[in-house]
Amino acid sequence: MWPKDPSSLLHKGEATRRASFLELFFDLVLVFALTRVVARAVEDLTGRAAIHQPEAVFAGAAKTVFLLLTLWAVWQSTAWTTSRYDPYQPLVQLIVLVTLVASMVMGVAAPRAFSTDADLFVAGYLIAQLSRPLLLAIALRGHERQRLELRMLITHSAMASLWILGVFFAWSGTRLVFWLPALGIEYVAYRSGWPVPGLGRSVPDSGPIAGEHLAERYQQFFLVALGEAVLVTGLTYANGQRNPASAAAFTVTIAMSILIWRIYFYRAGQILAEAVRQSRRPARIGSSAADSHLLITSGVIITAIGFELAITHPTGHTPVPWLVVILGGPVVYLVGRSRFEHEVFNRVSPSRLVAIGLLLTLIPALLWAPPLVALASAGLVLTGVALADARRARGKPPEPPAPPM
């Protein structure tokens, strides 16, 4: 398992540019974890606390966002690892397997991560984030990349104290006081080249990377998020009360899922790998695309929460938090998709900006509308974006990528 030559761990060009089956298996575990996060969010929005204590809704929303950011940190770290190192090497596959099991534990614990299962959730996260740089630092003995893995290991080890303090010295309402700074510092360290006194720092967004592999991983994670939305939609309708209103909401959610897929893959989503290959700084555009896909997938997950709310309660008054979720999910998705389009083409389609503004305008306009109407309104806006894309492309050759970096 331990390579005799550390350089054998590095990517080998064409032979390792595609994602491995193990990475796809890992993505399936993420579907489970995301489904558990959505279940927790719906519980927060429909429980007794949501009715009698509106402030509890905002606390629940903050916790849901935090859980998504934590899962994204684990997935992104793994995706970058398999884009910098050969995903078919036994050691790298071991790292992915350990992260897979740890992510499953996090998914199991997610609904009660701030209460009874805090220890399980933190254990899964720390195992995923510490095992990877530890194993790579040992395997890369004498190689120039060893210093990077050591800095990552030191940073995650230092933040582990905050994660553990949040488990043993806090209760549900205050765990974010410890955990949020820990996660925030890790995100900042990633953006800053993992600086550690005495060991220096890396130049952010630099170094060799298998751009096509990373681009494919982002596309696959988007499909993971969209698959989770479809799964939630199907299970909610299958297990709920079937009536004309819920059937109409179910139909709208299917149509919106197709529109979300179409809008993502229309051109920019298809040629991300080519844009990375043409970029002067592939690691830079890969890092920027990570931020865009965080917004895109977050928007899809929020939209999935809105799907479940609309199918379960299609009629009646729509609480303001529900309306924000139903219309805000597509807003976040389109913001991320607009940013992604700029990374690939160095421009943003006006239709996306108009759609974002229209969705924001609809939030106060639909305060007294039922959830089904709000969901259908979001679907009509997404339909307009898809039609604008089709009209712009009609009779023209496929647009080539023009990355700005």
Side-chain angles (χ1 to χ4, degrees):
M1 182 180 68
W2 299 103
K4 296 181 179 179
D5 180 9
S7 62
S8 65
L9 285 174
L10 306 184
H11 252 273
K12 299 175 179 62
E14 182 73 16
T16 54
R17 70 181 182 87
R18 302 302 302 271
S20 65
F21 290 120
L22 181 57
E23 291 173 272
L24 300 179
F25 183 27
F26 173 55
D27 287 348
L28 293 178
V29 174
L30 262 294
V31 172
F32 165 74
L34 291 174
T35 301
R36 300 282 286 175
V37 171
V38 170
R40 185 194 187 284
V42 172
E43 183 179 325
D44 286 338
L45 287 167
T46 57
R48 292 174 59 88
I51 299 174
H52 303 289
Q53 298 176 309
E55 66 276 6
V57 175
F58 296 101
K63 292 175 181 178
T64 298
V65 171
F66 176 82
L67 292 175
L68 289 175
L69 290 175
T70 306
L71 289 172
W72 174 260
V74 172
W75 182 89
Q76 180 180 242
S77 299
T78 306
W80 275 81
T81 298
T82 54
S83 295
R84 290 191 183 278
Y85 303 101
D86 183 352
Y88 295 95
Q89 280 286 329
L91 178 64
V92 178
Q93 291 186 333
L94 174 63
I95 290 171
V96 176
L97 281 172
V98 171
T99 307
L100 182 153
V101 175
S103 299
M104 178 67 80
V105 172
M106 292 174 67
V108 170
R112 302 291 177 266
F114 291 90
S115 54
T116 56
D117 291 336
D119 52 349
L120 278 178
F121 185 79
V122 168
Y125 180 77
L126 292 181
I127 289 172
Q129 297 296 72
L130 290 173
S131 60
R132 180 179 53 256
L134 174 62
L135 293 173
L136 287 172
I138 295 173
L140 291 168
R141 56 196 180 281
H143 194 276
E144 59 182 6
R145 290 193 185 181
Q146 185 184 39
R147 292 173 65 89
L148 170 62
E149 301 301 334
L150 285 174
R151 292 197 300 271
M152 294 173 64
L153 178 62
I154 291 171
T155 301
H156 285 300
S157 298
M159 293 306 102
S161 59
L162 289 177
W163 288 98
I164 295 171
L165 284 172
V167 172
F168 294 105
F169 297 96
W171 56 94
S172 177
T174 61
R175 285 197 166 109
L176 276 181
V177 174
F178 295 94
W179 292 352
L180 191 57
L183 186 64
I185 290 172
E186 291 172 15
Y187 267 87
V188 172
Y190 163 72
R191 286 285 176 267
S192 305
W194 300 99
V196 171
L199 291 177
R201 56 183 288 183
S202 302
V203 177
D205 309 327
S206 65
I209 188 170
E212 289 186 76
H213 181 276
L214 186 61
E216 183 175 289
R217 296 299 290 130
Y218 287 145
Q219 293 165 344
Q220 289 165 350
F221 192 79
F222 164 75
L223 290 174
V224 164
L226 189 58
E228 187 279 333
V230 173
L231 179 64
V232 165
T233 297
L235 290 176
T236 301
Y237 183 66
N239 297 327
Q241 296 181 353
R242 300 183 191 179
N243 52 58
S246 63
F250 175 69
T251 302
V252 173
T253 61
I254 295 300
M256 287 182 64
S257 298
I258 295 172
L259 288 168
I260 289 171
W261 165 81
R262 166 66 179 173
I263 292 169
Y264 174 85
F265 278 105
Y266 175 70
R267 207 52 194 146
Q270 293 178 350
I271 61 174
L272 173 59
E274 187 177 345
V276 172
R277 189 167 56 249
Q278 292 185 13
S279 173
R280 298 185 302 274
R281 300 178 63 184
R284 176 70 179 275
I285 194 173
S287 179
S288 181
D291 296 334
S292 297
H293 280 75
L294 174 57
L295 289 170
I296 289 171
T297 53
S298 296
V300 173
I301 297 303
I302 297 170
T303 302
I305 297 170
F307 285 174
E308 184 166 349
L309 293 172
I311 293 174
T312 307
H313 307 280
T315 59
H317 173 63
T318 307
V320 174
W322 293 20
L323 191 60
V324 171
V325 168
I326 292 171
L327 296 177
V331 168
V332 176
Y333 168 72
L334 289 173
V335 169
R337 183 56 179 78
S338 299
R339 193 177 188 277
F340 176 43
E341 186 175 50
H342 183 269
E343 290 158 352
V344 175
F345 295 118
N346 197 22
R347 63 155 179 80
V348 176
S349 300
S351 61
R352 285 160 173 70
L353 302 180
V354 171
I356 292 169
L358 186 56
L359 286 167
L360 292 174
T361 303
L362 285 173
I363 292 178
L366 295 176
L367 284 175
W368 303 106
L372 176 56
V373 173
L375 188 70
S377 300
L380 287 174
V381 173
L382 292 179
T383 300
V385 174
L387 290 175
D389 286 346
R391 181 180 179 183
R392 185 175 60 251
R394 185 180 304 158
K396 297 178 181 179
E399 184 178 4
M405 59 189 77

